[in-house]
Structures are given as structure tokens and as C-alpha cells.
Amino acid sequence: MSMLDDFPITRRWPAQHPERLQLYSLPTPNGVKVSIALEESGLAYEPHLVRFDTNDQMTPEFLSLNPNNKIPAILDPDGPGGRPLALFESGAILVYLADKTGQLMPLDPARRYETLQWLMFQMGGIGPMFGQLGFFHKFAGKDYEDKRPRDRYVAESRRLLGVLDQRLRGRAWVMGDDYTVADIAILPWVNNLVGFYGAGERVGWADFPEVQRVLAAFLARPAVQRGLNIPARPAA
């Protein structure tokens, strides 16, 4: 009997490799943070696609793992003390994976907290603001006659990009020479803003050359290219 059999989520998404970390996700900006971190670290894992078009995230099995019905979530059979660990929230998962593997996080305590600071910058600012801008620019919000909500998120997204651009001046990555969970958290959202959302012109993308430079370096990493497409979406 597998150590994971007690978790209801494995009844809907059976583990073919129960000894591996189980990832329940979708290739969205939040989802790919974890798949990229896993690919970068080399930790063995098994991905499971959580389909929003069929409301997988609202099923009892998924809610048993994440009552907040969001992706990503993980189930690690080899958690602290050798016992299974269920975890949701992408930022918490990134910190857990960094601690588990000893990678993607500076060992020096001061630099660790500085890295966490920039991780929180993504979670509290870039993610919510870019997501709202995407709604008002690409999705249903674009049809609203009142453009003040859209313009509010455009202005705040520009401000955040300016903060990031300033931080990256003279640095290879957010933390300088160290490639960390801060980059893995922030850059998928930047990529989504100018790619999937198509909001580059709206936010004045040309005004942020340092962000452009680091995003290009990020997208050139093989682990990033793999992680951006995990879990694989079903064929159309």
C-alpha cells in the first residue's frame, strides 16, 4: 500500500510513480513556477493536469488537497520526517522545494530573506496586478465601457515593471549572480503579460530594457522551456 493512498486526490489522479512528488497543476503563470523549479532542481516528480474547462479544481478530491481551489498544489511522499506532505500556494511550494533540494535559495540568511522579499513582491504585487490587467485587456473586462479599472491596473503594472527594471540594472538576475525562486516567481508573469495577454504595448514594454534582457535570458534556459509546458495540455 502506497503512503499516498490515504489522500483522496490520488483517487481522481492516481499516482503511477507514488515514490515521486506529485504535482497537480496547469501551465498558467502560477502553475509553471513550480514545474520550472522542479525542472531546474532535477527532483523526480509526476505531473497531473487539473483542467479548469471541466472544473477539476472544484471536485471534492482536489478540494481535499487545496480548499482554496487553486493550482498548483503538491503531494510529496517524502516530506519532513519522511512523512507525506500536502502543500498549496505557489510561493510556499517554491520555498519548500528550495529548502528540500538546497537549490534556488541563497544559504546566507540575509540574502535568503532578501530573496523572500522579492518572492513576496511577486505574490503581493506583480501576480494580482498583471492578472487584473489581463482580465481588462484581453478577456471580458475589455468590453466594459468604463475604462478606469483597466487604466488603474495599467498604471500599477507599469509602476511594478519600473521597480523591477531598476532592480535588474547591473544584475544578471533579481539577486545578482544567483538565480533563485524570485526569478522563477516573477518572470513567468512578465512573460504572460507581454505574451499571452498581449499587453506589451499597453504597458509601454519598450520602456523596460532591463526586464526585457533578463526575461530573454530566463526563456533561454532549457529547464524553463520544459517547465512552461508542464503539465501538458490536451490536444485540441
Side-chain angles (χ1 to χ4, degrees), residues 26-130:
L26 184 71
T28 66
N30 280 333
V32 300
K33 294 178 196 175
V34 177
S35 54
I36 290 170
L38 286 163
E39 289 293 317
E40 292 280 10
S41 70
L43 189 66
Y45 71 102
E46 181 178 349
H48 303 278
L49 180 68
V50 179
R51 296 182 58 166
F52 287 0
D53 60 335
T54 55
N55 288 320
D56 282 351
Q57 77 278 17
M58 300 302 296
T59 60
E61 294 87 353
F62 188 81
L63 292 171
S64 71
L65 186 65
N66 183 0
N68 195 35
N69 66 274
K70 304 292 184 182
I71 58 94
I74 64 168
L75 180 53
D76 186 0
D78 184 27
R83 300 187 60 81
L85 175 71
L87 202 61
F88 64 89
E89 284 295 331
S90 59
I93 296 171
L94 287 179
V95 174
Y96 172 70
L97 294 176
D99 289 345
K100 180 180 177 72
T101 64
Q103 301 179 54
L104 304 172
M105 184 77 77
L107 297 178
D108 174 73
R111 287 183 59 77
R112 173 185 171 87
Y113 284 115
E114 189 178 357
T115 303
L116 292 173
Q117 165 187 268
W118 287 100
L119 173 61
M120 302 305 163
F121 169 77
Q122 181 276 307
M123 294 172 62
I126 280 182
M129 294 302 106
F130 287 13

Side-chain angles (χ1 to χ4, degrees), residues 111-188:
R111 287 183 59 77
R112 173 185 171 87
Y113 284 115
E114 189 178 357
T115 303
L116 292 173
Q117 165 187 268
W118 287 100
L119 173 61
M120 302 305 163
F121 169 77
Q122 181 276 307
M123 294 172 62
I126 280 182
M129 294 302 106
F130 287 13
Q132 293 289 353
L133 175 54
F135 173 79
F136 283 101
H137 178 73
K138 182 180 176 70
F139 297 112
K142 68 181 184 298
D143 299 323
Y144 290 11
E145 182 176 351
D146 186 349
K147 299 306 180 186
R148 287 175 296 179
R150 182 203 66 188
D151 293 346
R152 170 183 172 82
Y153 291 118
V154 168
E156 181 62 5
S157 295
R158 275 188 55 83
R159 188 190 71 79
L160 292 166
L161 285 168
V163 173
L164 183 59
D165 203 73
Q166 176 65 38
R167 171 67 181 182
L168 292 172
R169 289 176 190 172
R171 292 181 170 89
W173 302 104
V174 170
M175 289 300 296
D177 292 336
D178 293 331
Y179 174 74
T180 70
V181 294
D183 304 291
I184 293 173
I186 292 169
L187 293 168

